[in-house]
Amino acid sequence: MSRRFGHRVKTVDCDILIIGGGFGGCGAAYEARYWGRDLKIVVAEKAHIDRSGAVAHGLSAINCYMGMQWGENQPEDFVRYARSDLMGLVREDLIFDIARHVDATVHKFDEWGLPIMKNPETGRYLREGKWQIMIHGESYKPIVAEAAKKSAEVINRIMVTHLLMDSARPNRVAGAVGFSVRDGSFYVFRAKALINGAGGASHVFRPRSVGEGMGRTWYAPWSSASAYALLLEAGAKMIQLENRIVLARFKDGYGPVGAWFLLLKTFVTNAYGERFEGSWMDEIRAMVGKYADASPLPTCLRNHALLQEVKAGKGPILMHTQEAIGDSREKEEIGWEDFLDMTIGQAVVWASQNIDPRETPSELITSEPYVMGSHATCSGAWASGPEDLAPPDYQWGYNRMTTVDGLFGAGDTIGGSAHKFSSGSFTEGRIAGKAAVRYVRDLGRDLPRVDGQAVERLRQTVFRPLDTYAIGRNEIVAGSVAPGYITPLHGLQRLEKIMDEYVGGVSMFYVTSAPLLNRGLELLQMLKEDMAQIGADGLHQLQRAWELHHRVVTAEAVARHTLFREETRWPGYYYRADHPKLVDDDWHVFTASQYDAQSGQWEMGRLPVHHIVS
């Protein structure tokens, strides 16, 4: 340990470094310990692993469970479902790989004490829908985190800012750097393999909730795109970053709708009491062809029908909770508990607006877009698939390894494997953990090397916003106006405005075009230039500054992918007004990007979509 410029430097040597202690990271730690009993495994977590990640405040259901022991579903069925919902474009090998192992993961959760509801008639897990099972999930994350804490050394409160590359082999990872948000120590992690289990991106697009309420988003507000930016700046190949997700949720509180639709059989109408989805099917079919006939109707197309009703002046859209509950005390309790398990804010909204779900319908609305690879979208890294399933061009040695040697991913990080949710992300972490152990074993003495001078340059870069503020604060006028620097909040608000107005956010009804996207890219470039003068008045703001950096890098990738795909593949998620239809002949492919952080250049291309399940 040494002390440089007031910041202690702590060096941590390990065999496997896991970034992020969400479900993907916890799964990676658990499985890596099983196969690597003698290895040093470290988890670097930005918050505290007991309550971090997208499941921090709980869930009311596990959304990915096959039920193979009871013959309910098979992995092939799940691949067909995910492929249909993503309008044909998924990595079927990765999804099949998760589906064949996910039940074992859920059984682990059951053994560890997660309260999973049982069907009193069959003794099986209580189904919410075809793939979902109901849980009492307020403590879901602490239960799963316990397994990770027993499997690895967990270092909480570490903001990882950059990956370290091998000084002798530029396309091989050698570790990462970051800082403690508590005491400001600069951490240098030297690792033989790295698994990125960080979160996707909220607050890249401007949220519907603004002002004091801007933290009220559907996806975790602390998910700052580290799943993507860390990999992009390391030169990893990424796919489908245009495939942002938009959710139909209860208005203002973003409360979940799954239990209401699937378990309680609630229905939705426009303001005039009309069930509207069917009335838009001819228009939808003209836009997307055969994909409109899928059952269930793909998520994005359900969004499209809702949006068309609103634009036609038939809003608000109403979920008739009163019809579902009726006189059933049990159903009412299920509805409230659904919120209290995972979105307490929605219960507060109901209370504050005098909404009694037994008597009054509730408004639904579509959210702002988010970038993620674990829900109903496919954004993420191009990764090697399982040896027994992946076509030759989908496989290069180690399962879930990206195009950077030694760099693995799980959860939001991996592209093409939609609908994994919590259990699937943990399962993908297990897959990556096992593969990373094999990679470390195969290295032998060919270990990655870290350049000390490169580390020192990064140290200076990481703490520069503190120096910028220390100098610029002497020029502050009118209490808070700083001519010499921008704050992380200023930068975030600029980013959200650019993405909202030019890349298809809520204010534009998710519509964009080539002229809009090109102008948005110009404005993003100006924001990047101003980011060189970002100031931070302490460690919390320093964390916000680097979260903003990760969001900006990812936002540019989203814009470039959206510009490159000249079709509207997912109406309801976003629309290319200049290319308003789905064009399978030209675009039944994955969009791919690779960023060169040194030159600032982007390389865009296409990658094949192979169908391995009929």
Side-chain angles (χ1 to χ4, degrees), residues 341-363:
D341 272 341
M342 61 184 292
T343 315
I344 295 172
Q346 186 62 52
V348 174
V349 169
W350 273 2
S352 67
Q353 296 182 0
N354 297 326
I355 295 173
D356 184 341
R358 296 173 302 177
E359 301 175 0
T360 309
S362 290
E363 291 183 58

Side-chain angles (χ1 to χ4, degrees), residues 528-542:
K528 287 167 62 179
E529 292 170 1
D530 287 348
M531 289 277 289
Q533 297 301 321
I534 193 166
D537 65 1
L539 293 174
H540 183 74
Q541 288 302 305
L542 185 63

